[in-house]
Amino acid sequence: MPAVGPCFDVAVPSQGYAWWYIDATSADGAYGLTIIAFVGSVFSPYYKFSGRRHPDNHCAINVSLNGPRGSAWAMTERPSTRVDRSASHFSVGPSAMRWDGEALVIDIAEISAPLPYKVRGRVRVIPEMIGSTAFALDPAARHRWHPVAPRAHVEVEMTHPGIGWSGPGYFDSNFGDEPLEDGFNDWHWSRAHLRDDVAVLYEGKRRDGTPFDLALRMDRLGNWHDVIQPAPAALPRTGWLVKRATRADAGSTPRVIKTWIDAPFYARSKLATRLYGENVHAVHESLSLGRFRSPVVQSMLPYRMPRIVW
């Protein structure tokens, strides 16, 4: 199915969601950054408790920065009165993303939680490849994935914390017509920049127990090619004992370099691995929606995801 640009004005139905995801690592490998903008925030306890009738009333821009001289986390949910969306612009409170046709510019003005401190800065995502195809993650296409810029150059200038760096990055988006946990029990995802291509690996189990997987490579012309999944490879469980799994060339052993996010139901990590004959670094995530559905986990979420009601 065709898709063009970030589509910030996409219609999100009741019970549904949309998010736009950016990750980047510094050229020296010391820093990692992820930014996710949500409509109908999929992990929001407030959206869930509201009955998920009004996705635009539950929006947030999540910032996670890791590194030796400054780390930060922020994810404050805001109501529709503090949200503005168009095809090329998405603002949530004081933070905003705008697509100018050549780069995605992200202005960050957030407060962390549970310890309150400023998270301020600007990030520019300059695509080196543009994706023009979206992919269904289930037979009914209720959950869809659109890689916007699978390879990009990212420039980070933060005033709080005071750091600046640049390096390779990635930009995609996901859309759904039902809650994520209604569609899936778990998934494992990773992306890696190969010498010429980009590899993206998706696998997991749907809520009905059926498995799914995607293994794709995008060439420099922006064309996606189905490829054979590499061999299964185990990774150590996280501090919260979330199961992690990945794929790698037969005979190789992936290694976790750094776990950027270690949450009760979710982990994002940087890996050293070997894929399609190349030694690469990969960004990897594992998501346990069985864990997410737990009332204990739900009770913990507001401490890291506060909501502003005005």
Side-chain angles (χ1 to χ4, degrees), residues 228-282:
I228 297 173
Q229 280 274 25
L235 295 170
R237 288 180 181 259
T238 69
W240 283 97
L241 300 180
V242 171
K243 181 181 179 180
R244 290 185 284 195
T246 190
R247 300 279 179 151
D249 286 0
S252 64
T253 303
R255 177 171 55 90
V256 177
I257 298 175
K258 175 71 174 178
T259 297
W260 290 340
I261 297 177
D262 186 353
F265 62 93
Y266 180 81
R268 187 180 301 125
S269 312
K270 180 181 178 182
L271 307 182
T273 187
R274 185 170 179 82
L275 291 170
Y276 303 107
E278 298 183 34
N279 293 323
V280 295
H281 287 157

Side-chain angles (χ1 to χ4, degrees), residues 26-222:
S26 60
D28 63 4
Y31 288 90
L33 171 72
T34 54
I35 299 173
I36 312 175
F38 293 95
V39 177
S41 183
V42 290
F43 304 127
S44 164
Y46 317 103
Y47 186 37
K48 182 174 182 177
F49 296 156
S50 75
R52 294 190 171 103
R53 291 183 295 275
H54 304 292
D56 274 281
N57 203 42
H58 299 271
C59 297
I61 293 181
N62 170 223
V63 180
S64 176
L65 175 66
N66 299 87
R69 291 194 298 109
S71 295
W73 163 275
M75 186 172 178
T76 299
E77 184 176 302
R78 291 178 167 88
S80 58
T81 54
R82 302 296 308 278
V83 174
D84 183 51
R85 291 201 290 141
S86 69
S88 59
H89 174 83
F90 182 21
S91 64
V92 182
S95 298
M97 297 182 169
R98 57 183 173 86
W99 176 261
D100 65 12
E102 296 182 355
L104 179 71
V105 181
I106 308 166
D107 290 308
I108 302 164
E110 297 291 331
I111 300 293
S112 72
L115 297 177
Y117 52 83
K118 292 180 180 179
V119 182
R120 302 279 192 276
R122 171 170 284 188
V123 175
R124 296 183 75 243
V125 181
I126 305 162
E128 296 178 10
M129 295 176 171
I130 291 289
S132 60
T133 303
F135 298 85
L137 299 179
D138 65 296
R142 296 182 65 81
H143 303 269
R144 302 167 301 280
W145 165 64
H146 169 209
V148 182
R151 189 190 294 265
H153 174 74
V154 178
E155 299 170 351
V156 178
E157 291 294 337
M158 301 294 294
T159 58
H160 298 81
I163 56 172
W165 50 267
S166 64
Y170 170 94
F171 176 22
D172 75 8
S173 56
N174 283 67
F175 309 100
D177 301 331
E178 66 180 1
L180 197 63
E181 68 268 29
D182 286 4
F184 303 95
N185 275 330
D186 59 49
W187 76 32
H188 307 279
W189 170 92
S190 62
R191 66 87 178 159
H193 290 166
L194 307 178
R195 181 177 55 254
D196 296 316
D197 299 349
V198 176
V200 177
L201 308 177
Y202 243 127
E203 65 179 309
K205 286 188 177 179
R206 301 187 182 98
R207 186 69 184 272
D208 63 8
T210 60
F212 77 97
D213 69 77
L214 284 172
L216 298 165
R217 289 179 66 166
M218 175 185 260
D219 63 28
R220 287 285 183 176
L221 298 177

